[in-house]
Amino acid sequence: MSSRIQTATEDPPWARAVVLGLVFAFLAVVLILPLVSVFTEALSKGLETAWTAITDPDTISAIKLTLLTAAITVPFNAAFGLCAAWAVAKFDFPGKAFLITLIDLPFSVSPVVAGLIYVLIFGAQGWFGEWLIDHDIKIIFAVPGIVLATIFVTFPFVARELIPLMQEQGADEEAAAVSLGASGWTTFWRVTTPNVRWALLYGVLLCNARAMGEFGAVSVVSGHIRGLTDTMPLQVEILYNEYNFVAAFAVAGLLCFLAIITLIFKTALEIISPDVKGRHV
């Protein structure tokens, strides 16, 4: 009589059921239930009321500022991430480990601290405050400060998607292109960039999602000037503090909708090009 030998990676059916049950229960309580609650509260007084809240002039201004900030932040971080990843993965130079540490810095620094740093540098009492006032340049409590703070908290996303992929690919193709007479610029655009296009787009999606949802750093540098320097997350806070719950959840629902769209694109990328997954180091 033969007996079946259980492998180290094979679990009893009851163990798999318990683990999956715990996972789905956790997701239901932490993710799905809050998400459903946002849309339920937003539509609690009807679609027309929610639409009126979203089309309020202050909310429209917050939406425009959020999109403008993301439109500036994402291309900047995409360019930085591509260049930084190329330098780290393809070249050896003094301070390489330190550069990687600096790229990771926003992951460990509180966004509020990041905002305070920019206030310290560019605020009225900051290092360059007097010079900026004399030249009528406004950074803090204005769009430039919001963009700078958002860039700080989002710049690792693209680089961290590209660095492991480029390191795995090595430099053989670039070396072959150079040996055939291609210039460095041609090699970069014709060989390096096409090889990482899916990971680059994946990082751009993550960066965009974080840029639109950033609250802490932006809250510090924005000054909360209603209709001028409030982004969508800040507008949600203002409406909620005013006990205008339907409007607050309507704007929050719009943010959630944008996040879901980003998630759909992210999932599509993982299906189209599975090699963009699991590249973090």
Side-chain angles (χ1 to χ4, degrees):
M1 181 177 180
S2 61
S3 60
R4 184 171 178 270
I5 301 176
Q6 183 175 343
T7 64
T9 59
E10 185 177 3
D11 298 316
W14 66 266
R16 292 198 299 269
V18 169
V19 172
L20 289 175
L22 290 174
V23 169
F24 283 111
F26 179 83
L27 289 177
V29 173
V30 175
L31 180 63
I32 298 176
L33 185 59
L35 192 62
V36 171
S37 299
V38 168
F39 289 104
T40 301
E41 290 294 330
L43 300 174
S44 60
K45 293 186 179 179
L47 182 60
E48 184 177 351
T49 302
W51 179 252
T52 300
I54 291 175
T55 55
D56 178 80
D58 289 340
T59 301
I60 292 295
S61 175
I63 294 172
K64 290 180 179 179
L65 180 55
T66 301
L67 296 178
L68 174 63
T69 302
I72 298 173
T73 299
V74 173
F76 180 90
N77 283 336
F80 168 80
L82 189 58
C83 294
W86 191 43
V88 169
K90 306 298 182 179
F91 304 101
D92 289 322
F93 53 89
K96 181 176 178 178
F98 182 64
L99 175 60
I100 296 175
T101 301
L102 289 180
I103 292 174
D104 288 338
L105 188 62
F107 287 140
S108 57
V109 174
S110 168
V112 174
V113 174
L116 289 173
I117 290 172
Y118 284 109
V119 172
L120 176 63
I121 297 174
F122 300 112
Q125 307 300 321
W127 296 349
F128 301 108
E130 186 175 345
W131 184 89
L132 292 172
I133 292 173
D134 291 340
H135 291 79
D136 196 25
I137 300 174
K138 198 168 186 178
I139 295 180
I140 301 302
F141 303 158
V143 175
I146 294 172
V147 171
L148 284 173
T150 306
I151 287 175
F152 179 88
V153 299
T154 58
F155 78 76
F157 287 95
V158 176
R160 268 309 180 185
E161 285 297 326
L162 294 178
I163 289 173
L165 179 60
M166 286 188 174
Q167 287 177 329
E168 182 178 317
Q169 290 175 345
D172 292 343
E173 293 186 19
E174 284 83 356
V178 171
S179 68
L180 293 174
S183 65
W185 185 255
T186 301
T187 300
F188 179 76
W189 283 112
R190 297 293 182 87
V191 179
T192 303
T193 303
N195 284 340
V196 299
R197 62 186 183 278
W198 293 115
L200 175 62
L201 186 54
Y202 188 84
V204 163
L205 288 175
L206 295 178
C207 178
N208 182 70
R210 178 61 189 275
M212 289 193 297
E214 175 55 32
F215 177 84
V218 171
S219 178
V220 175
V221 301
S222 72
H224 290 274
I225 305 173
R226 196 160 187 169
L228 292 177
T229 63
D230 280 332
T231 59
M232 291 173 67
L234 301 184
Q235 181 70 1
V236 171
E237 181 196 30
I238 290 172
L239 294 171
Y240 189 86
N241 289 338
E242 292 177 347
Y243 302 100
N244 192 351
F245 299 125
V246 172
F249 281 106
V251 180
L254 180 59
L255 270 174
C256 290
F257 177 75
L258 294 174
I260 291 172
I261 296 298
T262 302
L263 180 63
I264 291 173
F265 277 110
K266 170 180 171 289
T267 304
L269 276 179
E270 291 174 348
I271 294 173
I272 295 172
S273 182
D275 63 333
V276 303
K277 298 166 59 178
R279 298 293 186 181
H280 295 285
V281 293

